[in-house]
Amino acid sequence: MRQTELFASAPMDTLAFEQRARSRGFSLIAGVDEAGRGPLAGPVVAAAVILPEGLRIPGVDDSKKLSPETRERLFDVINAQALAVGIGMGSPEMIDRINILQATLHAMLEAVSALSPQPDFILIDGISSINSTIPQKTVKKGDSLSLSIAAASIIAKVTRDRLMRELDAIHPGYGFAGHKGYGSAAHLEAIRQHGPSPVHRLSFRGVKEHVPCPSSCSPS
């Protein structure tokens, strides 16, 4: 299949990518997106969503454009109406070990692998493909162009926000419930005062400056 020709131009209809894939014989099309590439703490979370053919869910859009209340409501609607929903994560330790891009792609692959039934075509937000034998298409700004990807963006964002609220209770003093791990002024000040928590990304600027130097780097 010549995917470059099939998806040569960006569609206006948010089901156009899915319809083009179906015109080539695919039937189980998963949208994939992530949340949490930029924060200083917590995991990156990916979601994969397969929607029934022709289903339109009013209000579904790029999660960044929606209020928290709207995202929470649509999260329940998507879970109720989707054929399958999968979640994947890249931990802070993984992010520090293999970098944020590779951890994101790992989370996306994990999310796709969690789907049942498995998709026969994948639409991925962004420009990076995942290590899967399933035919796939990357879509720049896909969370605004594809309903399946937009649905995945909502699932990923709400899942991560809920997790950060849980981490706030486990690691108080950083304000995770409010800023969700992003580098707000209050968050940066908390890191300066308390040092990094076990869920901070130690390789990220704003955190790595406050990692205690191990004994091995002390002058002998």
Side-chain angles (χ1 to χ4, degrees), residues 41-106:
V44 59
V45 176
V49 176
I50 302 176
L51 297 175
E53 181 175 359
L55 176 69
R56 295 181 185 272
I57 304 175
V60 169
D61 200 348
D62 173 5
S63 64
K64 296 184 292 296
K65 300 177 182 178
L66 306 175
S67 69
E69 296 76 18
T70 299
R71 288 196 297 263
E72 288 282 348
R73 177 180 61 81
L74 290 171
F75 177 90
D76 292 335
V77 174
I78 293 164
N79 272 299
Q81 299 192 27
L83 295 178
V85 174
I87 299 292
M89 296 190 189
S91 69
E93 294 82 7
M94 177 181 289
I95 292 168
D96 290 334
R97 187 174 71 252
I98 64 175
N99 77 44
I100 184 60
L101 173 60
Q102 294 306 315
T104 298
L105 297 179
H106 165 89

Side-chain angles (χ1 to χ4, degrees), residues 114-151:
L115 291 170
S116 181
Q118 279 283 281
D120 55 12
F121 197 87
I122 309 169
L123 295 170
I124 303 173
D125 183 61
I127 60 174
S128 300
S129 58
I130 62 174
N131 185 23
S132 173
T133 58
I134 301 172
Q136 59 191 275
K137 168 64 182 173
T138 58
V139 184
K140 291 182 181 180
K141 299 183 179 180
D143 45 13
S144 295
L145 298 173
S146 160
L147 189 70
S148 299
I149 296 177

Side-chain angles (χ1 to χ4, degrees), residues 160-190:
R160 187 178 188 280
D161 284 356
R162 291 178 177 180
L163 176 59
M164 294 308 295
R165 289 194 290 271
E166 294 175 5
L167 291 176
D168 184 68
I170 299 171
H171 304 287
Y174 295 96
F176 292 148
H179 53 63
K180 306 302 186 297
Y182 284 88
S184 68
H187 187 191
L188 293 171
E189 179 58 29

